[in-house]
Amino acid sequence: MQAYMRGRFEFLGVATPQRRSATVPLLRLQCGADELVELARTLWVLPQREYQYVAIDMLARNWKTLAMHHVDDLLVLTQQGSWWDSVDGLAGVVGDLTRTARGQDQHAQRTMDVALRHPNMWVRRVAMLHQLGWRAETDASRLFFYASELAAEPDFFIRKAIGWALRDYARHDPQAVRSFLQDVRDRLSPLSIREAAKHLGMVKG
């Protein structure tokens, strides 16, 4: 497991199925939102990576207890021990919270607009990925704007996130993504275009 993560983190060596089986009582724990966030923080600072995975599992299972203001807490965690495995798990929770909040507040996604310009690259990745799986609920204008704003960034994980987010939306509206790629192909990296166009049947840049 450490080799797969390029030696960046210490592991207990507990595989995902065994980890989730062992933590069932914890995942089913009924607690308030603030207590949930505090428990996630406590797990997050433990040295072995599996504890952060448990924190993500808890947040993902109980995200409905959280409110939009807890996104700030999640973005703080995003910046600690950051790598794609932890960041993408938190992005899913942020996305669930934001999508639900948008039903009551049309401006809820402004939190992600701010995250898009955060100095920490991983927070920007969360902003790019937060609409994954939204399909018809996706704010396409925002998605394409984010991709354009991040297009010039050289980091692999940002370029990959752009392509991933666009490819995900292409499952719902392939023509919109195809048109966007044609309009901005001179600005997006080949990696972003290749990832976005995987299932669009178009020539990749």
Side-chain angles (χ1 to χ4, degrees):
M1 295 170 77
Q2 288 180 199
Y4 179 69
M5 296 300 292
R6 301 181 183 180
R8 298 182 67 91
F9 306 104
E10 180 182 347
F11 282 83
L12 294 168
V14 181
T16 299
Q18 288 73 35
R19 183 189 79 238
R20 288 181 173 160
S21 176
T23 58
V24 165
L26 188 60
L27 296 180
R28 292 178 177 172
L29 184 67
Q30 299 295 313
C31 61
D34 291 341
E35 185 180 357
L36 175 63
V37 170
E38 187 58 35
L39 183 53
R41 289 195 191 106
T42 300
L43 289 165
W44 211 265
V45 298
L46 296 176
Q48 290 81 18
R49 196 63 165 173
E50 287 93 341
Y51 292 114
Q52 294 179 15
Y53 298 160
V54 172
I56 293 169
D57 288 344
M58 290 187 63
L59 291 166
R61 182 182 177 93
N62 300 285
W63 68 267
K64 290 182 180 179
T65 69
L66 302 174
M68 196 62 196
H69 69 269
H70 291 110
V71 167
D72 290 338
D73 298 309
L74 300 182
L75 294 181
V76 170
L77 294 180
T78 295
Q79 300 170 68
Q80 300 171 4
S82 309
W83 200 242
W84 63 265
D85 57 334
S86 60
V87 170
D88 294 359
L90 291 171
V93 180
V94 169
D96 287 336
L97 282 169
T98 305
R99 180 171 56 179
T100 299
R102 198 179 65 170
Q104 289 78 44
D105 178 6
Q106 63 178 331
H107 302 303
Q109 280 178 280
R110 288 180 179 175
T111 300
M112 293 292 96
D113 296 343
V114 174
L116 184 72
R117 294 177 172 80
H118 196 279
N120 185 285
M121 178 269 292
W122 296 106
V123 175
R124 299 197 299 276
R125 180 174 166 100
V126 169
M128 189 69 245
L129 296 179
H130 83 278
Q131 295 192 92
L132 284 179
W134 286 24
R135 300 297 191 269
E137 296 181 62
T138 300
D139 183 335
S141 296
R142 209 174 225 107
L143 172 69
F144 296 145
F145 174 73
Y146 283 17
S148 297
E149 286 292 291
L150 297 178
E153 294 211 17
D155 188 90
F156 169 86
F157 289 103
I158 291 294
R159 292 181 169 187
K160 187 83 169 180
I162 292 170
W164 184 11
L166 293 172
R167 185 173 77 244
D168 181 76
Y169 185 58
R171 295 187 178 97
H172 172 73
D173 192 343
Q175 186 53 49
V177 175
R178 188 178 291 111
S179 297
F180 174 73
L181 293 177
Q182 290 170 344
D183 290 342
V184 301
R185 64 183 307 117
D186 293 336
R187 296 172 55 200
L188 287 178
S189 70
L191 171 62
S192 296
I193 294 174
R194 185 167 62 250
E195 288 294 317
K198 271 187 177 179
H199 309 298
L200 291 178
M202 58 188 293
V203 177
K204 306 174 184 63

